[in-house]
Amino acid sequence: MELTMKRNNIIWSLLALSSVGVAQAQSSFEFDQSKVQEVGLNSNNASLLVTNDMESIGESSIYYKQTNGKFKNPLNANKSRFGGFSTQRYQRINNWKLYGKFDLSFGQDKDVANTTQIYPFRLNPYIIVDSLVGDWNKQYYNIEGKVASPIVREEFVFGLGLKYNVATGARQLDPRPQNSSNDVTLTPSITYFINEINALGINNVGIKIFG
């Protein structure tokens, strides 16, 4: 009798875990489908979030990626190993539409040559070259947010987009240059609804702040 109860508990636990897995997979699929169908989620014009029909949806993931090979740019690493965590969500609060995303990535670039910069491809207008080869420990933080106002006078919608990217890294070889990068982009926007089908949207290309 006790063995049967334990076996039943195990079966119910497995069924519960399966249900959670199916629900998460379905939610992730719905979010991926929404990103394709809903223009406002992918547009740089934050005010277009008002066109989304969803109430609220999101997803979170843990990832690991590895790249290696000799066919590469001379400034790239011979091998890269990075892991991280990413979460994003669309939310409707009354008549306001909001979207947020956070991504944390950390890992190591191995056998990096010719550079002492975390972003060696930032041409302005020269590339600083270093003769030493070493491994780099790096971290990347990326935050993105968009908000769209309620429709004003049945014609206008105002929006604001924010992107904040931070990167830090250090070469694991003396001399050890520690490098960091801060990039903030603000994108105000406005959309004018001509009728139920057509709309005219305008957004600033971005107000960038580097650090």
Side-chain angles (χ1 to χ4, degrees), residues 157-204:
V157 177
F158 300 92
L160 181 65
L162 167 68
K163 290 184 179 180
Y164 180 42
N165 302 318
V166 178
T168 61
R171 187 172 62 190
Q172 307 303 296
L173 177 70
D174 294 328
R176 301 180 180 229
Q178 184 170 0
N179 220 249
S180 62
S181 172
N182 297 276
D183 183 358
V184 180
T185 304
L186 295 174
T187 310
S189 59
I190 182 174
T191 295
Y192 168 65
F193 288 93
I194 302 172
N195 50 46
E196 294 182 357
I197 300 176
N198 301 304
L200 177 64
I202 300 176
N203 61 285
N204 193 305

Side-chain angles (χ1 to χ4, degrees), residues 82 105-109 117-118 136-140 168-170:
F82 280 84
S105 178
F106 54 90
Q108 187 176 67
D109 284 337
Q117 296 178 303
I118 193 169
W136 280 73
N137 291 340
K138 297 181 179 180
Q139 291 183 340
Y140 299 94
T168 61

